[in-house]
Amino acid sequence: QQQVKQSPQSLIVQKGGISIINCAYENTAFDYFPWYQQFPGKGPALLIAIRPDVSEKKEGRFTISFNKSAKQFSLHIMDSQPGDSATYFCAAKLGSGNTGKLIFGQGTTLQVKP
Amino acid sequence: GAVVSQHPSWVICKSGTSVKIECRSLDFQATTMFWYRQFPKQSLMLMATSNEGSKATYEQGVEKDKFLINHASLTLSTLTVTSAHPEDSSFYICSARGRTGTSGLNEQFFGPGTRLTVL
């Protein structure tokens, strides 16, 4: 019930294309859903996040779509660039306020071909 | 965004020695800090959560006596791997949560990680 399932495991997209990564969860107690980008040998960097009372959030080329009834959320990267090649993790926060912890998806390795 | 630093960025040690990793929140007060472990091509695994001034809460299966965590101040947490063995070799990442200038309490910021190799 605490799991967050992420797909696909890997993704290859042409430059300028749209990258789509999906995540699904079971626990309705999750109250915050961030996406992180991680380059090899580096720590994850927060990309964008959404709360369950919002269906979509857009920041630049990155958009989160959130479907509360289906318990699914996805990251869309528009106009994908080679510099976007990285591993992306979705996460969900369990527990209220400052004490909650993040449950991470398995990760998606994105390769954007020039 | 807020900045979290880690030191050292990499360390090589002999089996049986102890290694200390520092994690600092540079421009905000971290009321809660987290320590993760990540194996190659895998996701982040939460090891423990610590709040300033109180004992860390360890995840199931994580040895408290092996991975000592101290959250001495609102800007510093340390992870000490005691009597390290080759199987402890991994990428250790700290993370901090607290109220920054622009973020709410949900946002969690990660350090750059520490690569530990135990020979």
Side-chain angles (χ1 to χ4, degrees):
Chain A
Q1 261 232 332
Q2 285 199 15
Q3 280 187 342
V4 178
K5 294 183 179 179
Q6 183 172 346
S7 63
Q9 187 175 2
S10 62
L11 180 61
I12 299 175
V13 173
Q14 290 294 129
K15 179 182 175 182
I18 302 174
S19 304
I20 302 174
I21 305 171
N22 301 298
C23 284
Y25 64 96
E26 287 294 325
N27 195 334
T28 55
F30 290 138
D31 63 355
Y32 172 73
F33 301 86
W35 283 89
Y36 287 88
Q37 177 190 58
Q38 185 179 31
F39 292 103
K42 305 293 184 185
L46 179 64
L47 261 182
I48 187 172
I50 199 167
R51 297 179 66 94
D53 53 351
V54 176
S55 61
E56 185 175 281
K57 183 174 181 181
K58 183 176 181 179
E59 288 183 3
R61 295 186 294 112
F62 301 96
T63 300
I64 299 180
S65 296
F66 189 85
N67 187 329
K68 190 174 181 178
S69 60
K71 297 179 193 171
Q72 294 175 350
F73 58 110
S74 59
L75 175 70
H76 295 231
I77 306 175
M78 312 300 285
D79 187 26
S80 299
Q81 299 296 313
D84 296 331
S85 298
T87 300
Y88 292 81
F89 292 96
C90 64
K93 180 171 154 288
L94 185 65
S96 59
N98 207 29
T99 58
K101 61 183 181 182
L102 291 178
I103 308 297
F104 281 87
Q106 295 82 359
T108 297
T109 302
L110 169 66
Q111 182 184 357
V112 180
K113 290 194 167 182
Chain B
V3 180
V4 176
S5 71
Q6 265 182 258
H7 177 80
S9 55
W10 59 270
V11 57
I12 301 173
C13 69
K14 291 183 179 179
S15 186
T17 60
S18 294
V19 174
K20 180 185 281 190
I21 303 170
E22 287 189 353
C23 175
R24 294 180 185 271
S25 57
L26 297 186
D27 50 2
F28 68 103
Q29 293 186 326
T31 48
T32 306
M33 284 188 167
F34 307 84
W35 286 94
Y36 293 83
R37 186 172 180 177
Q38 186 178 35
F39 291 106
K41 299 190 185 301
Q42 292 191 21
S43 188
L44 289 83
M45 183 185 77
L46 179 64
M47 299 174 66
T49 302
S50 72
N51 293 295
E52 184 262 341
S54 55
K55 288 185 178 180
T57 301
Y58 290 80
E59 294 298 303
Q60 192 172 9
V62 178
E63 299 176 60
K64 300 178 183 182
D65 296 331
K66 178 143 191 83
F67 300 100
L68 301 179
I69 291 170
N70 184 281
H71 192 162
S73 74
L74 284 172
T75 59
L76 173 65
S77 176
T78 60
L79 168 67
T80 301
V81 183
T82 62
S83 186
H85 288 92
E87 58 265 29
D88 298 324
S89 298
S90 189
F91 193 51
Y92 292 88
I93 312 172
C94 75
S95 180
R97 182 187 294 152
R99 193 176 291 283
T100 69
T102 54
S103 76
L105 283 175
N106 281 317
E107 291 191 14
Q108 192 169 320
F109 301 95
F110 285 79
T114 296
R115 174 75 57 195
L116 169 64
T117 302
V118 184
L119 302 176

